[in-house]
Every structure is written in structure tokens, then in C-alpha cells.
Amino acid sequence: MTAAVHDDPLRRYPDYDFTRPAQLGREHRRRLEAAFEAFARQWASQLTGKVRMRTHLTLEGVELMSYQEYADTLPSTTAMVTGATAGREEPGVVQFDLGVALTWVVQMLGGRSTAPIEPRTLTPIESALIRQLMDRTFELLTTSLGMLLPSPLTYAGLHDNPQYLQVISPGEAVIVARFAMRMGEARSTATVMLPAAVVVDQLAESERDAAAAHRAGATVDQLLGAPLEVSLRIAPRVIAAGEVLNLAPGDLLRFAHPETKPFDLIVGDTPIARAVPGAQGSRLACTITTILEETTR
């Protein structure tokens, strides 16, 4: 369903397709891309070490789409490894070519794969080897995403038909990261799918925490950087208005402040310390003798 737009030449609003979820914000996309790029590097290192075949993985992009749109982009037969998170029904998915999975098995068993292997259903032994490999892969994915996941992803199952694997409602929004995979001379594509609700909730939560920390820090910084005028004051004396009007140069005005008593250091009208006057070079200065807050604790 698409919202109708009147044929008004002055209207510049684009049609909104209610069947597609909203797009990722720029900051959210940057955070996800950084996390998935870190995962690509670690996954490539893991595969190179375990499979004994140099592997390169490059992030091609991160998209927000419906699960059905994601499933439609996959081959009819492919490896889809589901990963569960505690307290959530919707799993994540790591997907890769079945022929690639069979190549991994051959390499892990000590063989050498010199030509692409035709995709087929994995045997129980082959599935067990892939599971061992994917247990570590989900650990790497959890580490790379960090706070973007509510809890660690753990292996939940291995499937080979995306059309039959209805792990999420077809119209539900998912986040999909696509990777270009190169193993020796062979090239293929791998994807990671995560339920958008899980990741977006964590993104929003981390933003609230960061905003709260920023506000608190900014308030403290602003307070500590606020300029204040300070002055030294002797004990005041009360005189009549007439005496003030009759003051002239050379008059001597006596105060009741003893010579040995420190002056008050004033901020505004509030005494904060006591100090004795002095000098530093050609400038007047004062030496703090007492902090008044300490005397009242």
C-alpha cells in the first residue's frame, strides 16, 4: 500500500510505501557498519586458521528491509545458521553458500579443494563440523556487536532452504549485512541477518545512556568553567549618611578590623575563605589561610 499524493506541483513530499520499514539513520548506520567491519576481519581470520585456506571478507553494505525481502534475495538452497539470544524469540542468521560450507568440510578433514563443490544437503558429520565452526563465529559476532545485542548469540540450528525457514514474520523488519567472501580464487557472498527490533532497541538505549552522560558531563563542565569575581573584604563599619557626604581626600576612616585578622575572600556577597594580603612581583596577591566550608562541616 502506498500513500496517495495529490497532483500538486508545489508538493515535494515523496510517496511513502507503508510496506517498507523506515530507513536507518546515519549515526545508526555508521555504528552498525563499524561493528560488521570488525566482525568481517575476525571471521576471516577464524576461517583462515580453521579451514586452512586464506579467506578475505569485505562488508558491502548494511540494509534495513523486511524478512521476506531478505529471503527473496537468497538462493533456493543455501546454508542458514540461526543464532538465538536469551529472552528473545527472533533469532539472528548467518548465511553462506552451501558449496562454500562443503569446501570448509573438505579442508577441515585434511583434503584439498581444487574446484567449486556443487551445493547439496549436508550429512550429519558435515553438519557437526559446521556447527563447531559456527559456535566460534557467533562468539565473534557477539563480541563485534557488543552493546548492540541484548545478550550473546548462540548456535540454534542449521538449515538449507530459506523459503521454508520462517524464523520471523515475513513483514518484520530485519537488518542485513552483506559480505563479499573470497577463498583462494573462489568468490561468493555471505550475509548476517538480525531482527531490527532487537538492534534498534539497543541503539536507542545506548543513545539514551550516552545523552544522559553527556548532559551530566556538560553541566559539570559548564559549572566549573563559569567565571566568578572574587575580592578581599575587611570587616564592615556602619556610618551615617552625612559622614559619607562629607568625606574628602585625606580623611582617615577607622575600621574595627584587627590588623592580625585575615580578610574575607568574597564571591558575590558570600565569604568562601579567609586570606592575608601580600604581593607577587608587582601585583597584589593573597594567601588563603582558611576555607570557610571546612569550618562548617
Side-chain angles (χ1 to χ4, degrees), residues 62-270:
V62 179
E63 301 175 85
L64 184 65
M65 61 182 67
S66 71
Y67 177 74
Q68 186 61 55
E69 287 176 314
Y70 167 62
D72 289 343
T73 64
L74 302 178
S76 58
T77 302
T78 189
M80 296 187 71
V81 187
T82 56
T85 54
R88 304 290 303 207
E89 293 183 358
E90 315 96 324
V93 171
V94 177
Q95 174 270 331
F96 43 87
D97 189 85
L98 262 178
V100 169
L102 291 167
T103 299
W104 293 345
V105 170
V106 170
Q107 292 287 133
M108 285 189 288
L109 292 176
R112 289 292 179 268
S113 178
T114 58
I117 301 177
E118 287 297 320
R120 59 170 173 77
T121 302
L122 300 177
T123 67
I125 293 178
E126 292 167 343
S127 297
L129 290 171
I130 295 298
R131 173 171 182 171
Q132 291 179 8
L133 200 61
M134 297 309 296
D135 281 339
R136 178 58 180 160
T137 300
F138 280 119
E139 291 178 10
L140 297 176
L141 184 57
T142 298
T143 302
S144 300
L145 290 171
M147 297 301 293
L148 300 182
L149 288 176
S151 58
L153 274 168
T154 57
Y155 178 92
L158 173 60
H159 310 270
D160 59 14
N161 192 319
Q163 300 303 323
Y164 294 152
L165 180 63
Q166 292 295 338
V167 294
I168 299 179
S169 172
E172 189 163 344
V174 296
I175 290 172
V176 178
R178 298 188 185 277
F179 304 90
M181 178 183 289
R182 179 162 58 87
M183 295 179 58
E185 298 302 320
R187 286 171 170 76
S188 61
T189 300
T191 64
V192 172
M193 184 280 291
L194 296 172
V198 174
V199 179
V200 171
D201 286 350
Q202 293 301 114
L203 284 167
E205 186 67 29
S206 63
E207 282 186 347
R208 283 193 293 268
D209 293 343
H214 173 73
R215 286 195 297 270
T219 301
V220 171
D221 292 343
Q222 187 69 20
L223 180 62
L224 295 178
L228 297 174
E229 290 188 357
V230 296
S231 57
L232 286 177
R233 185 180 72 181
I234 62 176
R237 173 188 170 183
V238 178
I239 61 175
E243 292 182 73
V244 175
L245 295 175
N246 291 328
L247 287 175
D251 288 350
L252 184 65
L253 202 60
R254 181 181 177 183
F255 285 82
H257 194 104
E259 281 188 46
T260 57
K261 181 180 178 181
F263 294 174
D264 288 335
L265 186 67
I266 305 296
V267 175
D269 293 325
T270 304

Side-chain angles (χ1 to χ4, degrees), residues 1-62:
M1 171 182 176
T2 303
V5 177
H6 297 293
D7 295 331
D8 185 347
L10 298 179
R11 265 184 94 90
R12 299 180 181 178
Y13 302 109
D15 293 357
Y16 184 84
D17 188 351
F18 288 94
T19 64
R20 295 183 61 87
Q23 296 302 305
L24 286 168
R26 182 182 303 174
E27 185 60 31
H28 287 180
R29 185 181 297 277
R30 277 200 296 261
R31 291 188 61 184
L32 287 167
E33 287 174 348
F36 283 120
E37 284 172 353
F39 169 68
R41 291 190 296 270
Q42 295 183 47
W43 194 20
S45 297
Q46 178 215 6
L47 292 173
T48 299
K50 291 289 186 181
V51 180
R52 295 178 298 158
M53 178 181 287
R54 185 170 296 279
T55 304
H56 296 275
L57 279 159
T58 305
L59 177 68
E60 293 186 326
V62 179

